[in-house]
Amino acid sequence: MVNIAVLGYGTVGSGVVEVLNTNKESIGKKAGDEIQIKYVLDLRDFPGDPIQNKIVHDIDIILNDEDIKIVVEAMGGIEPAYTFVKRALLGKKSVCTSNKELVAKHGPELLDMARERDINFLFEASCGGGIPIIRPLNSSLTADEIDEITGILNGTTNYILTKMDKDGSSFEEVLKDAQEKGYAERNPEADVEGHDACRKIAILSSLAFGNSVHYEEIYTEGIINITSEDILYAKELGWAIKLLASSKKEGDSFYAMVAPFLLNKEHPLYNVHGVFNGIFIHGNVLGDAMFYGSGAGKLPTASAVVADVVDCAKHLHRTVMSYWSSKKLHLTSIEEAKRRFFVRAKGAREELVSNIENIFGKVDIVQVPSLKGELGFITSLISEKEYKEKEEKLEGMISRIRIMD
Ligand code: HSE
């Protein structure tokens, strides 16, 4: 029997307990031994819940118990998760976590601590919810040099954008719905301002490129400025607006960013709707690969955490290697990156079009019949820097969205 402890009985922690109960027998067979939850750490009590007899309020009970071989961290946030995880690893207990904040900030240090002790620090659930993506990067894709990862990595914002597009719902209504369904972060700003996707692309890029991508250095824009009018233009074009997190290697330069993009129907991420996530990867020998599935929520996330528990149980005295050094990866500024932009501006049509063409040269005009006194246009391929300079000259400018070609 392999005894484990779960830290936190919130959405993910209670999901882990549920998954281990639901699939107890098959999980035991796959792990080669029965997985038994001995403790659940939480500040609260759960009278009437069968978990109550396992609840402890003192982390030392878990850390001082030599029977505990694996600790699941499902508390979220940096502290006290960081301190508890370090202490568990120091005590030669493997750790599995879904905590993207913790992994993005302290991943290489915690991996080193595990490696030095022949145990494991695994975090499959930190990116893409239930989608296997960390393990493929660490094992199935090791023959490749990865040169691009582009993904829809936040279920909450994809759910919001999909609902705005399909039902014309307002941003606020859908956010509330996503919170009730257990998709959103405790502080939903982390979702809608892009920070959650930013941490996830930092983790995936660090694993793909081998050195540490500091999430604080990734250019990040959320979806808070996307309006129902923007969605109408996207529909007029037959395109969709998606919050993308992307990192690319071009020669010796590495770029990373998070922002809403307009995607056309041919793009592999166009059909990723609702709470689903999709991650597109390009490798120099593999070519393209796509990973798709449930990106957030209690059971999908718990499924990925429990798969890590099984992996830890199979490798109790051996580290499953991952390639993520603490050496910092230098990111090139996105200023030089070239793309097309969709821009909205208000004014009298004739004067506005002539103004736009004076500044941007030849553009494609887009008109939504129900939106009076404004129009949209698509620029040719220009750098971010060039775009910004031109935008400053445009009177009546309303908003702009980048285009992913
Ligand atoms: N709030 C996150 C999301 C949860 O919506 O994707 C899963 O990491």
CSV table of all heavy atoms in Angstrom, one decimal, residues 278-333:
chain,number,residue,atom,x,y,z
A,278,GLY,N,-6.6,23.9,-26.0
A,278,GLY,CA,-5.9,23.3,-27.1
A,278,GLY,C,-4.5,23.8,-27.1
A,278,GLY,O,-4.2,25.0,-26.9
A,279,ILE,N,-3.6,22.9,-27.4
A,279,ILE,CA,-2.1,23.3,-27.4
A,279,ILE,C,-1.5,22.8,-28.7
A,279,ILE,O,-1.5,21.5,-28.9
A,279,ILE,CB,-1.4,22.8,-26.1
A,279,ILE,CG1,-2.1,23.2,-24.9
A,279,ILE,CG2,0.1,23.3,-26.1
A,279,ILE,CD1,-2.1,22.2,-23.8
A,280,PHE,N,-1.0,23.7,-29.5
A,280,PHE,CA,-0.4,23.4,-30.7
A,280,PHE,C,1.1,23.4,-30.5
A,280,PHE,O,1.6,24.4,-30.0
A,280,PHE,CB,-0.9,24.4,-31.8
A,280,PHE,CG,-0.1,24.4,-33.0
A,280,PHE,CD1,-0.4,23.5,-34.1
A,280,PHE,CD2,1.0,25.2,-33.2
A,280,PHE,CE1,0.3,23.5,-35.2
A,280,PHE,CE2,1.7,25.2,-34.4
A,280,PHE,CZ,1.4,24.3,-35.4
A,281,ILE,N,1.8,22.4,-31.0
A,281,ILE,CA,3.3,22.3,-30.8
A,281,ILE,C,3.9,22.0,-32.2
A,281,ILE,O,3.4,21.2,-32.9
A,281,ILE,CB,3.6,21.2,-29.8
A,281,ILE,CG1,3.2,21.7,-28.4
A,281,ILE,CG2,5.1,20.9,-29.8
A,281,ILE,CD1,3.7,20.9,-27.2
A,282,HIS,N,5.0,22.7,-32.4
A,282,HIS,CA,5.8,22.4,-33.6
A,282,HIS,C,7.2,22.0,-33.2
A,282,HIS,O,7.9,22.7,-32.5
A,282,HIS,CB,5.8,23.6,-34.6
A,282,HIS,CG,6.5,23.3,-35.9
A,282,HIS,ND1,7.8,23.4,-36.1
A,282,HIS,CD2,5.9,22.7,-37.0
A,282,HIS,CE1,8.1,23.0,-37.4
A,282,HIS,NE2,7.0,22.6,-37.9
A,283,GLY,N,7.6,20.8,-33.7
A,283,GLY,CA,8.9,20.3,-33.5
A,283,GLY,C,9.7,20.2,-34.8
A,283,GLY,O,9.1,20.0,-35.8
A,284,ASN,N,11.0,20.4,-34.7
A,284,ASN,CA,11.8,20.4,-36.0
A,284,ASN,C,11.8,19.1,-36.7
A,284,ASN,O,12.0,19.1,-38.0
A,284,ASN,CB,13.2,20.9,-35.7
A,284,ASN,CG,14.1,20.0,-34.9
A,284,ASN,OD1,13.5,19.1,-34.2
A,284,ASN,ND2,15.4,20.1,-35.0
A,285,VAL,N,11.6,18.0,-36.1
A,285,VAL,CA,11.5,16.8,-36.8
A,285,VAL,C,10.1,16.2,-36.9
A,285,VAL,O,9.6,15.7,-37.9
A,285,VAL,CB,12.5,15.7,-36.4
A,285,VAL,CG1,13.9,16.0,-36.8
A,285,VAL,CG2,12.5,15.5,-34.9
A,286,LEU,N,9.3,16.4,-35.8
A,286,LEU,CA,7.9,15.9,-35.8
A,286,LEU,C,7.0,16.7,-36.7
A,286,LEU,O,6.1,16.2,-37.3
A,286,LEU,CB,7.4,16.1,-34.3
A,286,LEU,CG,5.9,16.1,-34.1
A,286,LEU,CD1,5.4,14.7,-34.0
A,286,LEU,CD2,5.6,16.9,-32.8
A,287,GLY,N,7.2,18.0,-36.8
A,287,GLY,CA,6.2,18.9,-37.5
A,287,GLY,C,5.2,19.3,-36.5
A,287,GLY,O,5.6,19.7,-35.4
A,288,ASP,N,3.9,19.2,-36.9
A,288,ASP,CA,2.8,19.7,-36.0
A,288,ASP,C,2.3,18.6,-35.1
A,288,ASP,O,2.1,17.5,-35.5
A,288,ASP,CB,1.7,20.3,-36.8
A,288,ASP,CG,2.1,21.5,-37.6
A,288,ASP,OD1,3.2,22.1,-37.3
A,288,ASP,OD2,1.4,21.8,-38.6
A,289,ALA,N,1.8,19.0,-33.9
A,289,ALA,CA,1.0,18.2,-33.0
A,289,ALA,C,0.1,19.0,-32.3
A,289,ALA,O,0.4,20.2,-32.0
A,289,ALA,CB,1.9,17.4,-32.0
A,290,MET,N,-1.1,18.5,-32.0
A,290,MET,CA,-2.1,19.2,-31.3
A,290,MET,C,-2.6,18.4,-30.1
A,290,MET,O,-2.9,17.2,-30.2
A,290,MET,CB,-3.4,19.5,-32.2
A,290,MET,CG,-3.4,20.8,-32.8
A,290,MET,SD,-3.9,22.1,-31.8
A,290,MET,CE,-5.7,21.9,-31.7
A,291,PHE,N,-2.8,19.1,-28.9
A,291,PHE,CA,-3.3,18.4,-27.7
A,291,PHE,C,-4.6,19.1,-27.4
A,291,PHE,O,-4.6,20.4,-27.4
A,291,PHE,CB,-2.3,18.5,-26.6
A,291,PHE,CG,-1.0,17.8,-26.9
A,291,PHE,CD1,0.0,18.4,-27.7
A,291,PHE,CD2,-0.8,16.6,-26.4
A,291,PHE,CE1,1.2,17.8,-28.0
A,291,PHE,CE2,0.4,15.9,-26.7
A,291,PHE,CZ,1.4,16.5,-27.5
A,292,TYR,N,-5.6,18.4,-27.1
A,292,TYR,CA,-7.0,19.0,-26.9
A,292,TYR,C,-7.7,18.3,-25.8
A,292,TYR,O,-7.6,17.1,-25.7
A,292,TYR,CB,-7.7,18.8,-28.2
A,292,TYR,CG,-9.2,19.2,-28.2
A,292,TYR,CD1,-9.6,20.5,-28.3
A,292,TYR,CD2,-10.2,18.2,-28.0
A,292,TYR,CE1,-10.9,20.9,-28.2
A,292,TYR,CE2,-11.5,18.6,-28.0
A,292,TYR,CZ,-11.9,19.9,-28.1
A,292,TYR,OH,-13.2,20.3,-28.0
A,293,GLY,N,-8.4,19.0,-25.0
A,293,GLY,CA,-9.3,18.4,-24.0
A,293,GLY,C,-9.8,19.4,-22.9
A,293,GLY,O,-9.7,20.6,-23.1
A,294,SER,N,-10.3,18.8,-21.8
A,294,SER,CA,-10.9,19.6,-20.8
A,294,SER,C,-9.8,20.4,-20.1
A,294,SER,O,-8.9,19.8,-19.5
A,294,SER,CB,-11.6,18.7,-19.8
A,294,SER,OG,-12.5,17.9,-20.4
A,295,GLY,N,-9.9,21.7,-20.1
A,295,GLY,CA,-8.9,22.6,-19.6
A,295,GLY,C,-9.0,23.1,-18.2
A,295,GLY,O,-8.0,23.6,-17.7
A,296,ALA,N,-10.1,22.9,-17.6
A,296,ALA,CA,-10.3,23.3,-16.2
A,296,ALA,C,-11.4,22.6,-15.6
A,296,ALA,O,-12.2,21.9,-16.3
A,296,ALA,CB,-10.6,24.8,-16.2
A,297,GLY,N,-11.6,22.7,-14.3
A,297,GLY,CA,-12.7,22.1,-13.6
A,297,GLY,C,-12.2,21.0,-12.7
A,297,GLY,O,-11.1,20.5,-12.9
A,298,LYS,N,-13.0,20.6,-11.7
A,298,LYS,CA,-12.6,19.7,-10.6
A,298,LYS,C,-12.1,18.4,-11.1
A,298,LYS,O,-10.9,18.0,-10.8
A,298,LYS,CB,-13.9,19.5,-9.8
A,298,LYS,CG,-13.7,18.6,-8.6
A,298,LYS,CD,-15.0,18.7,-7.8
A,298,LYS,CE,-15.2,17.4,-6.9
A,298,LYS,NZ,-16.3,17.6,-5.9
A,299,LEU,N,-12.9,17.6,-11.9
A,299,LEU,CA,-12.5,16.2,-12.2
A,299,LEU,C,-11.4,16.2,-13.2
A,299,LEU,O,-10.4,15.4,-13.1
A,299,LEU,CB,-13.7,15.4,-12.5
A,299,LEU,CG,-14.6,15.1,-11.4
A,299,LEU,CD1,-15.8,14.3,-11.8
A,299,LEU,CD2,-13.9,14.5,-10.2
A,300,PRO,N,-11.4,17.0,-14.3
A,300,PRO,CA,-10.3,16.9,-15.3
A,300,PRO,C,-9.0,17.2,-14.6
A,300,PRO,O,-8.0,16.6,-14.9
A,300,PRO,CB,-10.7,18.0,-16.3
A,300,PRO,CG,-12.2,18.1,-16.2
A,300,PRO,CD,-12.5,17.9,-14.8
A,301,THR,N,-9.0,18.3,-13.8
A,301,THR,CA,-7.7,18.6,-13.1
A,301,THR,C,-7.3,17.5,-12.2
A,301,THR,O,-6.1,17.1,-12.1
A,301,THR,CB,-7.9,20.0,-12.3
A,301,THR,OG1,-8.5,20.9,-13.2
A,301,THR,CG2,-6.6,20.5,-11.8
A,302,ALA,N,-8.2,17.0,-11.4
A,302,ALA,CA,-7.9,15.9,-10.5
A,302,ALA,C,-7.4,14.7,-11.2
A,302,ALA,O,-6.5,14.0,-10.7
A,302,ALA,CB,-9.1,15.5,-9.6
A,303,SER,N,-7.9,14.4,-12.4
A,303,SER,CA,-7.5,13.3,-13.2
A,303,SER,C,-6.0,13.4,-13.5
A,303,SER,O,-5.2,12.4,-13.4
A,303,SER,CB,-8.3,13.2,-14.5
A,303,SER,OG,-7.6,12.6,-15.5
A,304,ALA,N,-5.5,14.6,-13.9
A,304,ALA,CA,-4.1,14.8,-14.1
A,304,ALA,C,-3.3,14.7,-12.9
A,304,ALA,O,-2.2,14.1,-12.9
A,304,ALA,CB,-3.9,16.2,-14.8
A,305,VAL,N,-3.8,15.2,-11.7
A,305,VAL,CA,-3.0,15.1,-10.5
A,305,VAL,C,-2.9,13.6,-10.1
A,305,VAL,O,-1.8,13.1,-9.7
A,305,VAL,CB,-3.8,15.8,-9.3
A,305,VAL,CG1,-3.0,15.6,-8.0
A,305,VAL,CG2,-3.9,17.3,-9.6
A,306,VAL,N,-4.0,12.8,-10.2
A,306,VAL,CA,-3.9,11.4,-9.8
A,306,VAL,C,-3.0,10.6,-10.7
A,306,VAL,O,-2.3,9.7,-10.2
A,306,VAL,CB,-5.4,10.8,-9.7
A,306,VAL,CG1,-5.3,9.3,-9.4
A,306,VAL,CG2,-6.2,11.5,-8.6
A,307,ALA,N,-3.0,11.0,-12.0
A,307,ALA,CA,-2.0,10.3,-12.9
A,307,ALA,C,-0.6,10.5,-12.4
A,307,ALA,O,0.3,9.6,-12.5
A,307,ALA,CB,-2.2,10.8,-14.3
A,308,ASP,N,-0.3,11.7,-11.9
A,308,ASP,CA,1.0,12.0,-11.3
A,308,ASP,C,1.3,11.2,-10.1
A,308,ASP,O,2.4,10.7,-9.8
A,308,ASP,CB,1.1,13.5,-11.0
A,308,ASP,CG,1.5,14.4,-12.2
A,308,ASP,OD1,1.8,13.8,-13.2
A,308,ASP,OD2,1.5,15.6,-12.0
A,309,VAL,N,0.2,11.0,-9.3
A,309,VAL,CA,0.3,10.2,-8.1
A,309,VAL,C,0.7,8.7,-8.5
A,309,VAL,O,1.6,8.1,-7.9
A,309,VAL,CB,-1.0,10.2,-7.2
A,309,VAL,CG1,-0.9,9.1,-6.1
A,309,VAL,CG2,-1.2,11.6,-6.7
A,310,VAL,N,0.1,8.2,-9.5
A,310,VAL,CA,0.4,6.9,-10.0
A,310,VAL,C,1.8,6.8,-10.5
A,310,VAL,O,2.6,5.9,-10.2
A,310,VAL,CB,-0.6,6.5,-11.2
A,310,VAL,CG1,-0.1,5.2,-11.9
A,310,VAL,CG2,-2.0,6.4,-10.6
A,311,ASP,N,2.3,7.9,-11.2
A,311,ASP,CA,3.7,7.9,-11.7
A,311,ASP,C,4.6,7.9,-10.5
A,311,ASP,O,5.7,7.2,-10.5
A,311,ASP,CB,3.8,9.2,-12.5
A,311,ASP,CG,4.8,8.9,-13.7
A,311,ASP,OD1,5.3,7.8,-13.9
A,311,ASP,OD2,5.1,9.9,-14.4
A,312,CYS,N,4.3,8.7,-9.5
A,312,CYS,CA,5.2,8.7,-8.3
A,312,CYS,C,5.2,7.4,-7.6
A,312,CYS,O,6.3,6.9,-7.2
A,312,CYS,CB,4.7,9.7,-7.3
A,312,CYS,SG,5.0,11.4,-7.7
A,313,ALA,N,4.0,6.7,-7.5
A,313,ALA,CA,4.0,5.4,-6.9
A,313,ALA,C,4.8,4.4,-7.7
A,313,ALA,O,5.4,3.5,-7.1
A,313,ALA,CB,2.5,4.9,-6.8
A,314,LYS,N,4.8,4.5,-9.0
A,314,LYS,CA,5.6,3.6,-9.8
A,314,LYS,C,7.1,3.9,-9.8
A,314,LYS,O,8.0,3.1,-10.1
A,314,LYS,CB,5.2,3.7,-11.3
A,314,LYS,CG,3.9,3.0,-11.6
A,314,LYS,CD,3.1,3.5,-12.8
A,314,LYS,CE,3.8,3.2,-14.1
A,314,LYS,NZ,2.9,3.7,-15.2
A,315,HIS,N,7.5,5.1,-9.3
A,315,HIS,CA,8.9,5.5,-9.3
A,315,HIS,C,9.2,6.1,-7.9
A,315,HIS,O,9.6,7.2,-7.8
A,315,HIS,CB,9.2,6.6,-10.3
A,315,HIS,CG,8.9,6.1,-11.7
A,315,HIS,ND1,7.7,6.5,-12.4
A,315,HIS,CD2,9.6,5.3,-12.6
A,315,HIS,CE1,7.7,5.9,-13.6
A,315,HIS,NE2,8.8,5.2,-13.7
A,316,LEU,N,9.0,5.2,-6.9
A,316,LEU,CA,9.2,5.7,-5.5
A,316,LEU,C,10.6,6.1,-5.2
A,316,LEU,O,10.9,6.9,-4.3
A,316,LEU,CB,8.6,4.7,-4.5
A,316,LEU,CG,7.1,4.7,-4.3
A,316,LEU,CD1,6.7,3.6,-3.3
A,316,LEU,CD2,6.6,6.0,-3.8
A,317,HIS,N,11.6,5.4,-5.8
A,317,HIS,CA,13.0,5.7,-5.5
A,317,HIS,C,13.8,6.1,-6.7
A,317,HIS,O,15.0,5.9,-6.8
A,317,HIS,CB,13.6,4.5,-4.8
A,317,HIS,CG,12.8,4.0,-3.7
A,317,HIS,ND1,12.7,4.7,-2.5
A,317,HIS,CD2,12.0,2.9,-3.6
A,317,HIS,CE1,11.9,4.0,-1.7
A,317,HIS,NE2,11.4,3.0,-2.3
A,318,ARG,N,13.1,6.7,-7.7
A,318,ARG,CA,13.7,7.1,-9.0
A,318,ARG,C,13.1,8.3,-9.5
A,318,ARG,O,11.9,8.4,-9.6
A,318,ARG,CB,13.7,6.0,-10.0
A,318,ARG,CG,14.5,6.3,-11.2
A,318,ARG,CD,14.7,5.0,-12.1
A,318,ARG,NE,13.5,4.5,-12.7
A,318,ARG,CZ,13.1,5.1,-13.9
A,318,ARG,NH1,13.7,6.1,-14.5
A,318,ARG,NH2,12.0,4.6,-14.4
A,319,THR,N,13.9,9.3,-9.9
A,319,THR,CA,13.4,10.5,-10.4
A,319,THR,C,13.0,10.4,-11.9
A,319,THR,O,13.9,9.9,-12.7
A,319,THR,CB,14.4,11.7,-10.3
A,319,THR,OG1,14.7,11.7,-8.9
A,319,THR,CG2,13.8,13.0,-10.7
A,320,VAL,N,11.8,10.7,-12.3
A,320,VAL,CA,11.4,10.8,-13.7
A,320,VAL,C,12.0,12.1,-14.2
A,320,VAL,O,11.6,13.2,-13.8
A,320,VAL,CB,9.9,10.8,-13.9
A,320,VAL,CG1,9.5,10.8,-15.3
A,320,VAL,CG2,9.3,9.5,-13.1
A,321,MET,N,12.9,12.0,-15.2
A,321,MET,CA,13.7,13.2,-15.6
A,321,MET,C,12.8,14.2,-16.3
A,321,MET,O,11.9,13.9,-17.1
A,321,MET,CB,14.8,12.8,-16.5
A,321,MET,CG,16.1,12.6,-15.9
A,321,MET,SD,16.7,14.0,-14.9
A,321,MET,CE,17.1,15.1,-16.2
A,322,SER,N,13.1,15.5,-16.0
A,322,SER,CA,12.5,16.6,-16.8
A,322,SER,C,13.7,17.6,-17.0
A,322,SER,O,14.6,17.7,-16.2
A,322,SER,CB,11.3,17.2,-16.2
A,322,SER,OG,11.6,17.7,-14.9
A,323,TYR,N,13.6,18.3,-18.1
A,323,TYR,CA,14.7,19.1,-18.6
A,323,TYR,C,14.3,20.6,-18.3
A,323,TYR,O,13.6,21.2,-19.2
A,323,TYR,CB,14.9,18.8,-20.0
A,323,TYR,CG,15.8,19.7,-20.8
A,323,TYR,CD1,17.1,19.9,-20.4
A,323,TYR,CD2,15.4,20.2,-22.1
A,323,TYR,CE1,18.0,20.7,-21.2
A,323,TYR,CE2,16.3,20.9,-22.8
A,323,TYR,CZ,17.5,21.2,-22.4
A,323,TYR,OH,18.4,22.0,-23.1
A,324,TRP,N,14.7,21.2,-17.2
A,324,TRP,CA,14.3,22.5,-16.9
A,324,TRP,C,15.4,23.1,-16.0
A,324,TRP,O,15.3,22.9,-14.8
A,324,TRP,CB,12.9,22.6,-16.3
A,324,TRP,CG,12.4,24.0,-15.9
A,324,TRP,CD1,13.1,25.1,-15.9
A,324,TRP,CD2,11.1,24.3,-15.4
A,324,TRP,NE1,12.3,26.2,-15.5
A,324,TRP,CE2,11.1,25.7,-15.2
A,324,TRP,CE3,10.0,23.6,-15.1
A,324,TRP,CZ2,10.0,26.4,-14.7
A,324,TRP,CZ3,8.8,24.2,-14.6
A,324,TRP,CH2,8.8,25.6,-14.4
A,325,SER,N,16.3,23.8,-16.5
A,325,SER,CA,17.4,24.3,-15.7
A,325,SER,C,17.0,25.7,-15.1
A,325,SER,O,16.1,26.4,-15.7
A,325,SER,CB,18.7,24.4,-16.5
A,325,SER,OG,19.0,25.8,-16.8
A,326,SER,N,17.6,26.1,-14.0
A,326,SER,CA,17.3,27.4,-13.4
A,326,SER,C,17.9,28.5,-14.2
A,326,SER,O,17.6,29.7,-13.9
A,326,SER,CB,17.7,27.4,-12.0
A,326,SER,OG,19.1,27.1,-11.9
A,327,LYS,N,18.7,28.2,-15.2
A,327,LYS,CA,19.4,29.3,-16.0
A,327,LYS,C,18.3,30.1,-16.7
A,327,LYS,O,17.4,29.5,-17.4
A,327,LYS,CB,20.3,28.7,-17.0
A,327,LYS,CG,21.2,29.7,-17.7
A,327,LYS,CD,22.3,29.0,-18.4
A,327,LYS,CE,22.9,30.0,-19.4
A,327,LYS,NZ,23.0,29.5,-20.7
A,328,LYS,N,18.4,31.4,-16.7
A,328,LYS,CA,17.3,32.2,-17.2
A,328,LYS,C,17.4,32.2,-18.8
A,328,LYS,O,18.4,32.4,-19.4
A,328,LYS,CB,17.4,33.6,-16.7
A,328,LYS,CG,16.4,34.6,-17.2
A,328,LYS,CD,16.5,35.9,-16.5
A,328,LYS,CE,15.8,36.9,-17.3
A,328,LYS,NZ,15.9,38.3,-16.8
A,329,LEU,N,16.2,32.1,-19.4
A,329,LEU,CA,16.1,32.2,-20.9
A,329,LEU,C,15.8,33.7,-21.2
A,329,LEU,O,14.8,34.2,-20.7
A,329,LEU,CB,15.0,31.3,-21.4
A,329,LEU,CG,15.0,31.2,-22.9
A,329,LEU,CD1,15.9,30.1,-23.4
A,329,LEU,CD2,13.6,31.0,-23.4
A,330,HIS,N,16.7,34.3,-22.0
A,330,HIS,CA,16.5,35.7,-22.4
A,330,HIS,C,15.4,35.7,-23.5
A,330,HIS,O,15.4,35.1,-24.5
A,330,HIS,CB,17.8,36.3,-22.9
A,330,HIS,CG,17.6,37.7,-23.5
A,330,HIS,ND1,17.4,38.7,-22.6
A,330,HIS,CD2,17.5,38.1,-24.7
A,330,HIS,CE1,17.2,39.8,-23.4
A,330,HIS,NE2,17.2,39.5,-24.7
A,331,LEU,N,14.3,36.5,-23.2
A,331,LEU,CA,13.3,36.7,-24.2
A,331,LEU,C,13.5,38.0,-25.0
A,331,LEU,O,13.8,39.0,-24.4
A,331,LEU,CB,11.9,36.9,-23.5
A,331,LEU,CG,11.3,35.6,-22.8
A,331,LEU,CD1,10.0,35.9,-22.1
A,331,LEU,CD2,11.2,34.5,-23.8
A,332,THR,N,13.3,37.9,-26.3
A,332,THR,CA,13.5,39.0,-27.2
A,332,THR,C,12.2,39.8,-27.1
A,332,THR,O,11.1,39.3,-27.0
A,332,THR,CB,13.7,38.6,-28.6
A,332,THR,OG1,14.8,37.7,-28.6
A,332,THR,CG2,13.9,39.7,-29.6
A,333,SER,N,12.3,41.2,-27.1
A,333,SER,CA,11.1,42.0,-27.1
A,333,SER,C,10.2,41.7,-28.3
A,333,SER,O,10.6,41.5,-29.4
A,333,SER,CB,11.5,43.5,-27.1
A,333,SER,OG,10.5,44.3,-27.6
